[in-house]
Amino acid sequence: MRNINVKLLTEVVADMCKEANYFLGQDVIAALEKGLHGEVSPAGKEVFKQLLENARIAAEEEIPICQDTGFAVIFVELGQDVHLTGGDFNEAIQEGVRRGYTEGYLRKSIVKDPLERVNTNDNTPAVIHIDIVPGDEIKLTFVPKGGGSENMSAVKMLTPSQGAGGLVDFVVNTVNLAGANPCPPLVVGVGFGGTFEKVALLAKKALLRPLGQTNADPYYAGLEKEMLERINRTGIGPQGFGGRITALAVHIEVFPCHIATMPAAVNINCHACRHVERVI
Amino acid sequence: MEAKRIQVPLTDEVVTQLKAGDSVLISGVVFTARDTAHKRLAQLLEQGEELPVDLKGQIIYYVGPSPARPGRIIGSAGPTTSGRMDLYTPLLLRHGVKGLIGKGLRSDAVRKALQENRALYMAATGGAGALLAKRIKAAEVVAYHELGPEAIHRFVVEDFPVTVINDSYGNDLYSSGRQRFAGE
């Protein structure tokens, strides 16, 4: 048994909010550099140049990469031998978000009610997903998720007879319909299997995988490649200006499903695929 | 491609010289407005009331900036998705707005209204808010302060980089760009 004071969680979450929004990951920067060399469209190349320059300015000046500093989504892997002390675990995380967004000059983008739409002014509440795992550590993953790309995401209850082709068509069509809206070049997270709610979570988790890393199963790695190629043949291109690079990566996460179902979800992320991890 | 420099307020002469696909550097004043501000502006126009700012000949930039650090002009300030403003845009164009900056697809009604009213829809690079903020030389909230990031700001911009998506002739870069590179 290890005691961890929840005040530590508040501090760590506050730092993660800032870090994720100022510093684009090296995996994404490498993908953008590859895109700059691979893109044939002059307007598309200019977009890659601007995005790389943008990442440099954001890091140097500690200003958000994008003004949409997102909905604070936090994945927690809580070791079962951890004993949390010093207060309410959930509230400690919310306080971390509150502090991080306020101290970090990050935009407050959350409204209290979907219809009344009054801003909560501190970017809370965060969406928190908790898994209990063996061990005495806490792993936190912070994902600020932008609204523009979230709006272009979709869940579809496919039927088993639709097979792999049905999944690929659904993913490519979702990206095709989104066009320029979600700020391509995209990172496309695909959930496949599970239940209606599980598949959406799988799609979000797929966005956490470092760019350039494929699904461990060679079959699904092949499907990722096929989907990426088809998405990049749509011609949408960087920012929708036309080009050969519409997505930087497609990641699939798979889970068993019911004999009657074949759920699929597409969580679209813009090029600013932001996430940071900390282990306490 | 060499970027064309334009100055706000926009005239018919400037608008009609620009075509979909042109790279443009904007200097002058732009007003920000997004979802809720649009709803309010449209309500005022429908009721025949005066707007809190004169938008004739002006450019509306769809952006909700992040807060400025002390001593800075503005935080990160890139475009938001334009389609959410489609419902209100034809009315604003009829009222004399000459340019729109955002990102993403517009409705048929907006594209038609751009032609009828000789106006331009331009895209700034989505997700380049730190870079775009460098081209904003002054910023103040001029209406709807209570909306926070959704308030109407008056920006003075210098060489603000955009690409013309929909021109006053009915051309659309999103569809022509896609056609040019599809299937390769």
Side-chain angles (χ1 to χ4, degrees):
Chain A
M1 184 76 81
R2 179 176 162 223
N3 287 325
I4 296 179
N5 191 309
V6 296
K7 288 192 180 71
L8 183 59
L9 291 178
T10 300
E11 282 171 34
V12 170
V13 168
D15 277 350
M16 291 170 93
C17 295
K18 294 180 243 179
E19 188 186 326
N21 277 299
Y22 302 153
F23 307 107
L24 195 59
Q26 278 308 315
D27 59 332
V28 182
I29 289 178
L32 293 175
E33 277 166 353
K34 199 175 149 204
L36 173 61
H37 293 113
E39 181 56 67
V40 292
S41 136
K45 264 190 186 299
E46 177 59 28
V47 169
F48 280 111
K49 275 187 208 160
Q50 286 192 11
L51 296 180
L52 286 162
E53 174 71 0
N54 185 68
R56 190 189 61 74
I57 294 169
E60 209 171 274
E61 301 194 2
E62 299 203 349
I63 172 174
I65 296 158
C66 176
Q67 74 290 338
D68 185 350
T69 51
F71 208 125
V73 179
I74 298 169
F75 290 92
V76 183
E77 286 178 29
L78 178 61
Q80 63 190 27
D81 296 326
V82 171
H83 177 226
L84 295 163
T85 64
D88 180 325
F89 167 79
N90 178 63
E91 178 46 35
I93 290 180
Q94 302 294 353
E95 179 60 21
V97 169
R98 200 170 283 136
R99 274 194 214 166
Y101 275 73
T102 307
E103 293 167 0
Y105 296 92
L106 306 179
R107 196 180 76 182
K108 288 77 181 176
S109 310
I110 307 304
V111 292
K112 187 159 181 275
D113 179 279
L115 290 175
E116 289 174 7
R117 308 201 73 82
V118 178
N119 203 300
T120 63
N121 288 325
D122 60 10
N123 219 56
T124 66
V127 167
I128 306 171
H129 302 288
I130 304 169
D131 278 326
I132 310 284
V133 299
D136 63 359
E137 292 178 330
I138 304 176
K139 182 179 167 191
L140 297 166
T141 306
F142 175 79
V143 189
K145 186 63 176 75
S149 55
E150 197 78 345
N151 273 346
M152 296 294 117
S153 302
V155 174
K156 178 95 177 156
M157 300 305 285
L158 299 170
T159 55
S161 66
Q162 288 178 275
L167 173 68
V168 173
D169 285 347
F170 168 57
V171 174
V172 175
N173 288 342
T174 302
V175 171
N176 223 339
L177 279 173
N181 288 18
C183 294
L186 310 172
V187 178
V188 181
V190 180
F192 191 41
T195 52
F196 179 76
E197 82 286 7
K198 176 77 181 179
V199 77
L201 194 54
L202 288 173
K204 179 128 297 160
K205 280 193 176 169
L207 297 173
L208 306 180
R209 197 197 298 161
L211 300 191
Q213 190 181 316
T214 60
N215 189 294
D217 180 332
Y219 175 75
Y220 284 106
L223 268 192
E224 288 175 343
K225 188 164 176 269
E226 184 187 339
M227 289 194 263
L228 182 61
E229 283 168 1
R230 274 191 57 190
I231 287 168
N232 286 338
R233 283 202 298 269
T234 59
I236 295 168
Q239 296 293 310
F241 296 164
R244 290 187 192 168
I245 302 176
T246 302
L248 302 172
V250 178
H251 295 163
I252 312 179
E253 289 297 318
V254 186
F255 199 80
C257 64
H258 188 278
I259 50 173
T261 73
M262 200 174 82
V266 182
N267 198 188
I268 294 184
N269 208 107
C270 59
H271 49 82
C273 192
R274 299 161 287 185
H275 46 88
V276 292
E277 287 178 8
R278 292 285 171 81
V279 176
I280 297 172
Chain B
M1 187 178 20
E2 187 70 17
K4 298 176 178 172
R5 287 196 157 80
I6 63 170
Q7 196 78 35
V8 197
L10 298 182
T11 58
D12 278 359
E13 201 191 343
V14 170
V15 167
T16 52
Q17 275 170 12
L18 294 172
K19 297 273 179 63
D22 284 352
S23 294
V24 175
L25 296 170
I26 301 171
S27 294
V29 168
V30 303
F31 290 98
T32 76
R34 45 178 296 157
D35 309 59
T36 309
H38 269 79
K39 196 173 178 179
R40 291 191 186 182
L41 293 175
Q43 271 169 1
L44 289 174
L45 287 177
E46 277 160 5
Q47 288 160 4
E49 287 177 42
E50 209 157 298
L51 298 182
V53 286
D54 185 4
L55 292 175
K56 291 206 168 57
Q58 300 297 327
I59 291 178
I60 295 181
Y61 180 20
Y62 308 137
V63 56
S66 67
R69 280 180 190 275
R72 301 266 182 94
I73 295 163
I74 193 79
S76 194
T80 192
T81 312
S82 310
R84 295 195 314 273
M85 271 53 81
D86 280 354
L87 187 61
Y88 312 108
T89 300
L91 181 62
L92 288 165
L93 293 172
R94 284 200 297 279
H95 182 74
V97 171
K98 290 302 246 181
L100 312 163
I101 305 171
K103 53 123 177 158
L105 305 162
R106 305 311 304 254
S107 65
D108 291 342
V110 170
R111 292 201 297 268
K112 195 163 154 258
L114 288 166
Q115 271 184 275
E116 286 169 359
N117 299 284
R118 289 190 179 168
L120 298 167
Y121 170 51
M122 301 164 278
T125 298
L131 175 136
L132 293 167
K134 297 282 243 187
R135 309 294 176 94
I136 299 169
K137 302 301 175 184
E140 58 171 330
V141 173
V142 290
Y144 310 144
H145 216 286
E146 68 282 8
L147 295 181
E150 293 202 61
I152 296 184
H153 297 66
R154 181 182 185 274
F155 286 171
V156 178
V157 300
E158 209 175 279
D159 288 342
F160 191 86
V162 296
T163 301
V164 178
I165 303 296
N166 296 112
D167 59 26
S168 57
Y169 303 97
N171 298 309
D172 179 12
L173 177 65
Y174 288 146
S175 90
S176 60
R178 190 192 276 236
Q179 273 164 20
R180 193 169 148 208
F181 291 96
E184 288 185 52

